[in-house]
Amino acid sequence: MKNKMSFPQQGEACPSRCPDNSAFKQQKLPAWKPQLNIATVLSSFFLIGMFCLLVGVCLILSANSVREIQIDYSDKCSDCSKLRENSSNWNKECHCSVNFTLEEDILGDVFMYYGLQNFYQNHRRYVISRSDAQLLGRNVNIQKSYCAPFTTYRNGTPMAPCGAIANSMFNDTIDLFYNLNSSVIQVPLLKTGNSWWTDKNVKFRNPKSYNLSSAFAGTARPPYWQKPVYLLDEEDERNNGYINDDFIIWMRVSAFATFRNLYRRVRRIREFADGLPAGNYTFHISYNFPVTKFKGRKHVILSTVVWSGGSNPFLGIAYVVTGTAAILTGFVITAIHLKLRKTKTYFQK
């Protein structure tokens, strides 16, 4: 005997598990099912392939138009690097200089980045080692957060900010000087306006108080920091505490071991109104961030940006590879179709 599912007619009682007799629940809604044939399939492959190729070529050309210079100063500041190998020298200052030459002008907005190599920020315990409630300026018990072991000192004083991410913040100071004839001109750099608007205005807040020093009273700086959080920028009081741009940018961790973070922007005034003119330049670096123990490298990058972003051809290459694969697939399908049609015609004769 065959079991047939029957649905109640109008006026009949419906069991508790019976779906409503509606077009949606009975899957009777009108639907469109494409009727695929050789013409639509081939045209789809070729059109998608041509579109991806066109976009990929545009992205690659755009990325290649970016002007960029990258300088590795890990070995050029070797004396400072040796000093920083000993953690007991944390309070000793060390400075070094790196000279370089721009053969051509870098026109437009120029961005300065610091780059780190072989620094892994994607470890699970490192990524969660922070207190978002604390970074919002709330009075919270950080002992219940994931900041350990960077929560409190032995005497019970809480760290502000807490966590491994904040404790390992990049703290080299980099200044740029332009050597014009016999004079040395410091390139004006903008240290604010570099972080995301949502980070600056939503995710990070300072504790409410009449001044920052009192707001952070009863707390102490992380162990690897040289000054407290409310003195990160001694020149601009509005760029201190948890809303400091350098701190906000560092707290957005990278997925890869080699990465770069935005550090400064060249202020377009006076000699630098059009960008960086060609000539001799010098980086003056206050070397504080040690990289020798994890076999890392440090870079300074000067770069422009275009409508597609910085100098990264990966997306353009991905589009070109996808477009090429789609077009080749179209040709393979065409060859198979012609071969099968020829065979079919032969047997019909």
Side-chain angles (χ1 to χ4, degrees), residues 25-298:
K25 293 188 176 181
Q26 299 302 330
Q27 299 184 11
K28 296 179 180 179
L29 292 174
W32 175 74
K33 182 179 180 181
Q35 299 295 326
L36 298 178
N37 53 50
I38 190 63
T40 57
V41 171
L42 289 179
S43 61
S44 299
F45 273 103
F46 285 119
L47 288 176
I48 292 173
M50 292 301 297
F51 173 78
C52 290
L53 280 177
L54 180 62
V55 174
V57 170
C58 291
L59 289 173
I60 291 175
L61 292 177
S62 176
N64 290 338
S65 66
V66 173
R67 293 291 310 281
E68 179 177 300
I69 179 172
Q70 180 171 307
I71 298 174
D72 187 329
Y73 66 94
S74 305
D75 297 331
K76 296 180 180 180
C77 298
S78 57
D79 293 338
C80 293
S81 178
K82 293 177 181 178
L83 179 71
R84 289 290 174 250
E85 289 181 10
N86 189 348
S87 59
S88 62
N89 297 326
W90 67 270
N91 59 342
K92 296 181 180 179
E93 294 185 359
C94 189
H95 302 272
C96 60
S97 299
V98 179
N99 299 318
F100 67 97
T101 302
L102 287 182
E103 302 295 340
E104 299 178 357
D105 297 345
I106 300 181
L107 302 178
D109 294 328
V110 182
F111 298 83
M112 180 189 294
Y113 302 83
Y114 63 85
L116 291 177
Q117 184 177 339
N118 207 38
F119 188 93
Y120 289 85
Q121 289 188 310
N122 56 3
H123 192 281
R124 184 184 65 85
R125 292 194 62 184
Y126 182 88
V127 171
I128 65 175
S129 183
R130 58 188 292 165
S131 173
D132 291 320
Q134 183 194 47
L135 298 177
L136 283 171
R138 299 173 183 171
N139 186 15
V140 295
N141 182 9
I142 58 175
Q143 293 284 4
K144 298 180 180 180
S145 67
Y146 294 101
C147 288
F150 301 102
T151 51
T152 60
Y153 286 91
R154 292 181 179 178
N155 60 2
T157 304
M159 299 180 189
C162 71
I165 306 176
N167 183 60
S168 61
M169 177 180 168
F170 183 84
N171 57 350
D172 282 3
T173 302
I174 306 171
D175 294 314
L176 180 61
F177 292 86
Y178 176 44
N179 305 315
L180 180 62
N181 299 327
S182 59
S183 61
V184 178
I185 304 172
Q186 184 170 5
V187 179
L189 301 174
L190 297 172
K191 61 177 68 175
T192 57
N194 299 325
S195 59
W196 291 11
W197 185 93
T198 51
D199 288 348
K200 186 83 171 182
N201 297 276
V202 178
K203 296 184 179 180
F204 292 83
R205 285 283 189 276
N206 282 327
K208 293 182 179 180
S209 182
Y210 62 93
N211 60 45
L212 276 183
S213 59
S214 62
F216 289 97
T219 64
R221 58 174 176 79
Y224 291 173
W225 285 28
Q226 296 177 329
K227 49 189 175 182
V229 66
Y230 55 87
L231 292 179
L232 288 178
D233 189 350
E234 299 180 2
E235 299 176 358
D236 188 354
E237 295 181 356
R238 298 169 298 177
N239 190 37
N240 270 316
Y242 297 147
I243 59 173
N244 176 265
D245 273 47
D246 292 337
F247 173 70
I248 291 174
I249 291 172
W250 177 259
M251 293 300 290
R252 185 175 290 276
V253 297
S254 172
F256 300 100
T258 300
F259 62 92
R260 64 176 64 178
N261 284 335
L262 181 59
Y263 182 67
R264 297 289 184 265
R265 291 176 294 129
V266 174
R267 188 179 180 187
R268 298 177 63 176
I269 57 173
R270 300 191 302 273
E271 296 88 349
F272 313 100
D274 297 324
L276 291 180
N280 297 321
Y281 289 84
T282 303
F283 281 123
H284 287 186
I285 301 169
S286 176
Y287 197 106
N288 301 307
F289 194 85
V291 296
T292 307
K293 290 186 177 180
F294 58 88
K295 299 180 181 179
R297 312 287 299 180
K298 294 194 290 187

Side-chain angles (χ1 to χ4, degrees), residues 292-309:
T292 307
K293 290 186 177 180
F294 58 88
K295 299 180 181 179
R297 312 287 299 180
K298 294 194 290 187
H299 307 83
V300 184
I301 303 104
L302 295 174
S303 176
T304 59
V305 295
V306 291
W307 62 271
S308 60

